Amino acid sequence: MKTLARVAFALGGLIVTACASVSSEPAPAPEPATTEWRLVIHGGAGVILPGSMTPETEAAYIAALNTSLEAGAEVLRAGGEAIDAVQAAVLTMEDDPLFNSGRGAVFTAAGTHELDASIMDGRDRNAGAVAGVTRVKNPILAARAVMDKSEHVMFSGNGADQFAEAQGLDMVDNSYFDTDWRRQALERVLTERARTAADRHGTVGAVAIDRFGNLAAATTTGGMTAKAEGRVGDSPIIGAATYAENGVCAVSATGHGEYFIRVGVAKTICDRVKLAGEDVKTAAGTALGEVAALGGDGGVIVIGGNGEYGFVFNSAGMYRGWIDASGSGTAIYGEGE
């Protein structure tokens, strides 16, 4: 895209030079190069099979995905930036107890909630993240504040909560995140001493490209059910679950975090696009193949510098959706692309 822009600018210069010999009128300023905007989201991956939920629950998830898509698209339609769009998209899922990201987050083994989030701007690869927050209502806003208002990339634990509070973000009691069905899941895991894939996966995320070709990514989660106190997964780690670089790709991941960290999934995907010249889906498939070889599963959403996008996952399903100027779509079941 940058190369094309330089070529267009050079051609424009030749035209202006040629016209100068026959006209003294100043040439109009060139219009900025534009790219069709696009937003892609996920609401977690796992053993999500047809018939595994009631029609009412399925409809509720589809409605929630559409709410997220519309929140991000509203920013992009108005000519806004990708970084604001991904924040807006995941913010609605943090507020929806259907998802494991804010209200409705899973419980730790101690019966509390510890939440993680990260966000990255592809223009300058600036990023912010929080890990193990317990009182900030919307972790993605805390991650954005770290990016915009501090010299650091990540805060954790009580320090992250204190930083968020100092920035004027909404703070809540930890019980705000409670839901009955997540408590039942905790009790089941503690009794059976085993987790299902659904207990490990529940991250939400978004990637976007705006009309100027800028990329951004955001990821937020409550972690895995009955996780040990202080455990941190891949979601707040730049390069594991979240990565964005203009002209290359933007990634948000969901899955068994320990494996995604070991592979460095998000950065691996973008490096394969950047250095090996792979398309985003091929690169994502290769990275997830490494995760699978180690024993992990999950999925990613990815969007390239040219707007190409994909949903790639090796689990039974993934809550997902896309929207751009031409339309939108959502899905829950099926194989990863």
Side-chain angles (χ1 to χ4, degrees):
M1 183 59 66
K2 291 180 179 178
T3 300
L4 290 176
R6 286 196 293 267
V7 171
F9 183 82
L11 290 174
L14 291 174
I15 293 170
V16 169
T17 300
C19 292
S21 63
V22 296
S23 173
S24 61
E25 293 297 321
E31 292 293 325
T34 59
T35 299
E36 183 181 33
W37 59 266
R38 182 166 290 123
L39 171 74
V40 183
I41 65 170
H42 71 80
V47 182
I48 310 168
L49 300 169
S52 63
M53 64 181 80
T54 66
E56 293 76 16
T57 301
E58 182 177 317
Y61 272 107
I62 293 298
L65 291 171
N66 281 318
T67 295
S68 171
L69 289 170
E70 185 56 35
E74 185 176 358
V75 174
L76 295 169
R77 284 195 200 99
E81 298 175 346
I83 192 69
D84 295 323
V86 295
Q87 175 181 299
V90 300
L91 193 62
T92 69
M93 291 189 278
E94 284 188 341
D95 289 338
D96 193 321
L98 284 173
F99 299 104
N100 172 24
S101 54
R103 182 168 175 80
V106 299
F107 286 86
T108 68
T112 61
H113 306 276
E114 296 179 357
L115 302 98
D116 310 321
S118 61
I119 191 167
M120 189 168 187
D121 190 333
R123 289 174 294 190
D124 55 4
R125 284 184 277 183
N126 198 10
V130 292
V133 294
T134 61
R135 297 188 297 114
V136 60
K137 180 182 178 183
N138 291 108
I140 195 62
L141 297 183
R144 180 68 183 272
V146 173
M147 183 180 79
D148 289 344
K149 300 178 180 180
S150 83
E151 62 180 323
H152 308 298
V153 171
M154 182 186 289
F155 283 91
S156 66
N158 188 51
D161 279 319
Q162 290 178 347
F163 175 81
E165 189 168 16
Q167 303 309 310
L169 299 184
D170 289 341
M171 308 301 289
V172 295
D173 185 83
N174 195 249
S175 62
Y176 163 82
F177 304 108
D178 290 3
T179 53
D180 289 340
W181 74 294
R182 296 295 192 190
R183 188 174 293 279
Q184 292 168 7
L186 171 65
E187 294 170 353
R188 172 178 48 76
V189 171
L190 292 178
T191 299
E192 298 176 358
R193 295 186 176 278
R195 296 186 184 92
T196 66
D199 297 317
R200 294 193 301 269
H201 307 161
T203 307
V204 308
V207 294
I209 185 169
D210 62 32
R211 64 189 294 265
F212 298 105
N214 298 314
L215 294 169
T219 310
T220 176
T221 189
M224 64 169 62
T225 304
K227 65 182 181 180
E229 188 174 4
R231 177 264 185 185
V232 176
D234 63 317
S235 295
I237 299 177
I238 302 302
T242 304
Y243 200 78
E245 181 178 354
N246 271 17
V248 183
C249 76
V251 180
S252 175
T254 173
H256 197 156
E258 280 70 13
Y259 296 96
F260 280 68
I261 293 170
R262 289 157 64 185
V263 172
V265 166
K267 185 64 162 61
T268 293
I269 291 170
C270 287
D271 279 349
R272 295 191 72 87
V273 172
K274 183 178 182 178
L275 303 176
E278 293 182 350
D279 64 83
V280 292
K281 292 181 185 178
T282 299
T286 300
L288 284 180
E290 292 186 41
V291 170
L294 295 177
D297 64 337
V300 298
I301 52 174
V302 58
I303 192 165
N306 60 358
E308 177 191 10
Y309 72 97
F311 311 94
V312 183
F313 52 97
N314 59 11
S315 53
M318 182 167 74
Y319 301 106
R320 58 201 190 274
W322 63 271
I323 190 168
D324 58 27
S326 66
S328 64
T330 58
I332 297 176
Y333 314 112
E335 298 181 354
E337 298 177 354

